[in-house]
Amino acid sequence: MSTQLEKQACPVVRGGSFLIEDHAPADIFTPEDFTEEHKMIAQTAEDFVFQEVVPHEPELEKKNWVLLVDLLRKAASLGLTSMDIPEEYGGLALDKVSSILVSEKIAASASFATTHGGHAGIGTLPIVYFGNEAQKAKYLPRLATAELPAAYCLTEPGSGSDALAAKTKAVLNAEGTHYVLNGEKMWITNAGFADLFVVFAKIDGDKFTGFIVERGFPGVSVAPEEHKMGLQSSSTCAVRLNDAMVPVENVLGEIGKGHKIAFDILNIGRFKLGASSCGGAKYALRSATQYAKERKQFGVPIASFGLIQQKLAEIAIRTFAAESMVYRTAGMIDTLLGTIDKSNSTAVLQSIEEYAVECSTIKVWNSEMIDYVVDEEVQIYGGNGDSRDYPAEKHYRDARINRIFEGTNEINRLLISGMLLKRAMKNDIPLMPAVMKLMGEVMSLPQLEEESDGLLAAELKACANAKKVALLVAGAAAQTFRDKVKDEQEVLALASNIIMQAYAMESSVLRALKLAEDGGDRAEVAAEMARVFVYDSVPQVDAWARAALAATLEGDDLRTMLAALRRFTKQTPVNTVALRRKIAARVIATERYPLS
């Protein structure tokens, strides 16, 4: 298979630039641009999960790790664990769209998706991007085949979100041959069966550093399985290091630079988790729709009830927004990667890191989206939704951890607005000039506006206005709090909510417009979903902005900003009831996400 799948060429754009730039539908990558190879990879992953994994889930929930490792190796034989590994080490070196597609499709089994991500993602990628040649040659071929199942060990009992507060210590022995590690890592996915651990410890108590640790090294042990709410057929244990002997050649990356490994790999993990959430939402929608057609009340299927149709349509709409963001971002990453030497690991990481704002956005928005989806799935199942004899209960339990995985959503909310403001201060993106230009617009007399014309013209304008609101809030916070803005967590989180929603809105509308060029039923339902999503987003944006501005300004300054906000969030009523009925009709007819 080729190392770079041919797909639509999109222009290179800077990370976070969506907030200050307008992009055309042709500028973004969407699922409609998948190549035949992409579709083949997606089908392979989906077939594997439904044929090999799902039938074995009852046995896997009994903690049969021998079976789980066997399934992981079967996935490896299909190339599903080696997409991101260079060819010279036994990998496929595929584009990020392919890698993300696998993450999405494997989500049909949330537990196996967690196992797969723990191995092929955060367990393997540290060595791909930070390993030296000897480490890559020794470990990557065996990771590609899953001969060595992998795990990523960052979290500790006393340091969850504050990873750099880790207390695990590493001290060089007298002979200078080994580092002696002491400490404990918590909530480690795959720990029950992993043979290779990427572990973080502080050399001499202060130099935060990565290590490649084999299960068989002296002093390495694994605690019993945790009793979790969900993901029952994935392994989660503590890893204990008691005078663990790690050869000096197993130091990963530079001494004292472990934070670079930790944060860069988490960034990729967030993106893949967002893709998995999108895939999980599609499967939950299928389950809910099938049940709604089968379940009868008052002599008719509950799928015929307006309020059930409203739920099915809303699940489809939010999934559409999530999917549009995921593949827009994957396309941007691949476009930038196409301009560099991909044998240069540092350049590859910098290209992915460029879109850290988008990756955190997708992690937060999609993980909260799937929580909404599975909650409504349980509601559609009614009393049976609370029964373990039906799938909705399992979907509900499995989804909740996503808001905690890969950095809590609270931390990621602070990162989104914080990273944008930091880039603005460094002039990486011209955010502050855009804010100043907007302030000039705010202070000027309102101009008589012409009615928008054309398909989704009003929605495009709403997207542009949502971005203005984000700039309004971020600019006010930066000017009021200055270098103490990082301490205003509630305001930063509200700003991030607006930024995320603006990205979701614009990604949805641009995709719908792109689909409209080809016409047909898919284009029609995409436009309907985009219209409803944008219309319902505007009041949310308005509420978040009001709360943020009230916490930031007072007096005439506040009144001026609120007046501007009213200009940016006014809209003409849309019959969303009728639109949701049309969307639901398509979902019910096909029993699946309407753009599948």
Side-chain angles (χ1 to χ4, degrees), residues 151-282:
Y152 180 84
C153 303
L154 178 62
T155 302
E156 295 189 6
S159 60
S161 298
D162 187 8
L164 297 185
K167 290 182 171 57
T168 298
K169 288 184 64 174
V171 178
L172 189 63
N173 66 359
E175 297 78 14
T177 59
H178 291 75
Y179 279 98
V180 183
L181 272 61
N182 281 283
E184 183 176 12
K185 299 294 180 177
M186 287 290 293
W187 309 115
I188 306 305
T189 297
N190 295 351
F193 55 81
D195 290 317
L196 193 71
F197 302 95
V198 173
V199 175
F200 295 89
K202 289 182 176 178
I203 295 178
D204 300 328
D206 61 354
K207 303 179 188 71
F208 193 74
T209 304
F211 296 86
I212 303 171
V213 179
E214 296 182 25
R215 191 185 194 94
F217 287 170
V220 178
S221 63
V222 175
E225 290 289 333
E226 299 286 352
H227 299 292
K228 300 174 297 185
M229 176 170 63
L231 302 178
Q232 294 299 318
S233 52
S234 71
S235 171
T236 308
C237 310
V239 175
R240 294 168 178 163
L241 305 159
N242 297 305
D243 292 333
M245 302 294 288
V246 181
V248 292
E249 57 267 27
N250 277 40
V251 169
L252 184 61
E254 297 181 53
I255 289 176
K257 298 292 181 65
H259 62 283
K260 185 69 174 169
I261 303 172
F263 296 147
D264 281 345
I265 297 306
L266 282 176
N267 184 49
I268 299 170
R270 288 164 185 153
F271 187 25
K272 292 195 172 189
L273 187 147
S276 294
S277 296
C278 180
K282 292 180 182 179

